[in-house]
Amino acid sequence: MEGAELDYEFVRFSRGGAVATVTLDRPEAMNALSHGLERELHQALDEADADPAIRAIVLTGAGRAFSAGYDFDEEVPGDDATTAATLRQWLDTSQRSVEGFTHVMELSTPVIAAVNGWCLGGGFWYALCSDITIASEDATFGQPEVRGISSSSILFALLAGWKNAHRYTLTGDHFDAAEALRMGIVNEVVPADELLERAHALATRIAMVPADSVRLNKAITTYGLEAMGLRNAHNVMAFLATMAHASGDSSEVWHLHEAYRRGGIRAFLEARDGPFQPEPGGPRSRTDE
């Protein structure tokens, strides 16, 4: 794709015609949402939104993941953290998340999420808040962090329905692109090698519609949902998420903390997710892995 690239450390930003592409670029960490990456993501989105020549934004991830979620090493309070410090950290994290998702929804320029590979936790939430989501056939979604006491997103229930959301929110189970399409949280599923081509083709179709029509119709749905209570639901979610995270010293998850202390993130994930395998969908649905 032609277009000048801007200089970011954790994202790649490129322009091609009326379409900007923002690529999360920490492939060695499965595009985990560090503070730096998330800050640059929103800077890049603002950069595109401020350019009248850009009429649509494609958001995707480098490597084998869209995003594996928030960077675990940055989010876990230290062992010596006081209760007050733990609450402050988790409230800051929860409010920052809500502000990030709201920012995507309130941009005047439509965002098309092109989801490749793993799309978990906070990465899953960014796919939910994008205006349109296209998934590759190898995409895998989920919120496995709830198994260690964490929170979900109200957007999941809004888009998928209460029953569907609870099926996966209350287990942390992974699900594949076909299930995501069935529940209505992605618009379509395409072969992996056609993902970006399809996303850019759709972005180009959006660019053919008058800019004011796109901007105002996006505002009608976004602000309509907020007027119906979405913003208040997000604010309540931030406080409840803080309580969920702060409950992480529960005796039910002490073994997860011990696994992390002894063996790092890999040992933590094995202790958390091992008992749930095979998963309903995605690579870990196979019993031979």
Side-chain angles (χ1 to χ4, degrees):
M1 186 175 63
E2 297 181 356
E5 293 197 1
L6 302 181
D7 185 23
Y8 290 97
E9 183 178 0
F10 301 113
V11 304
R12 281 185 277 123
F13 184 110
S14 62
R15 307 164 191 252
V19 181
T21 302
V22 177
T23 304
L24 308 180
D25 196 23
R26 292 185 71 204
E28 75 288 351
M30 294 178 64
N31 301 319
L33 299 168
S34 64
H35 295 317
L37 185 151
E38 198 167 23
R39 180 174 60 253
E40 288 189 358
L41 165 61
H42 292 286
Q43 289 173 346
L45 292 174
D46 282 337
E47 183 90 27
D49 199 44
D51 186 346
I54 298 299
R55 304 286 295 279
I57 302 166
V58 173
L59 174 63
T60 193
R64 62 192 184 98
F66 179 76
S67 173
Y70 284 102
D71 193 314
F72 189 81
D73 290 332
E74 289 188 352
E75 301 302 327
V76 177
D79 290 338
D80 58 348
T82 64
T83 299
T86 298
L87 287 171
R88 281 196 302 271
Q89 177 173 337
W90 283 125
L91 181 58
D92 176 72
T93 298
S94 299
Q95 290 179 323
R96 177 164 49 86
S97 297
V98 167
E99 289 168 1
F101 309 143
T102 302
H103 177 231
V104 174
M105 296 179 71
E106 292 182 351
L107 290 170
S108 61
T109 308
V111 176
I112 300 174
V115 176
N116 50 301
W118 295 99
C119 183
L120 307 176
F124 174 50
W125 300 345
Y126 273 108
L128 290 174
C129 69
S130 296
D131 297 284
I132 297 168
T133 302
I134 301 175
S136 68
E137 290 175 339
D138 65 355
T140 300
F141 302 84
Q143 299 172 119
E145 66 274 17
V146 303
R147 298 167 178 170
I149 305 185
S150 188
S151 58
S152 180
S153 168
I154 185 63
L155 286 174
F156 191 10
L158 176 66
L159 295 174
W162 187 46
K163 301 282 189 183
N164 284 324
H166 275 189
R167 165 63 185 85
Y168 293 102
T169 295
L170 302 184
T171 61
D173 283 343
H174 297 142
F175 53 94
D176 60 19
E179 176 71 346
L181 182 65
R182 182 195 70 79
M183 291 190 291
I185 59 176
V186 303
N187 294 83
E188 63 179 298
V189 177
V190 300
D193 60 356
E194 297 177 14
L195 178 64
L196 287 180
E197 179 183 356
R198 177 58 186 147
H200 283 94
L202 184 56
T204 300
R205 290 184 67 81
I206 291 173
M208 295 168 59
V209 178
D212 285 341
S213 181
V214 172
R215 176 177 59 84
L216 292 172
N217 279 291
K218 185 178 185 312
I220 285 171
T221 54
T222 297
Y223 292 112
L225 288 173
E226 291 188 354
M228 294 165 63
L230 180 59
R231 180 173 288 273
N232 286 337
H234 268 144
N235 290 334
V236 171
M237 182 181 75
F239 289 110
L240 291 175
T242 300
M243 294 173 63
H245 289 302
S247 301
D249 60 354
S250 165
S251 60
E252 291 184 276
V253 295
W254 69 267
H255 65 291
L256 301 181
H257 298 292
E258 184 64 21
Y260 181 73
R261 281 191 290 268
R262 290 179 178 274
I265 186 63
R266 182 177 293 275
F268 172 86
L269 293 176
E270 288 176 355
R272 186 192 70 183
D273 297 334
F276 289 88
Q277 293 183 24
E279 298 279 0
R284 292 176 182 167
S285 65
R286 298 190 292 271
T287 57
D288 59 345
E289 292 192 4

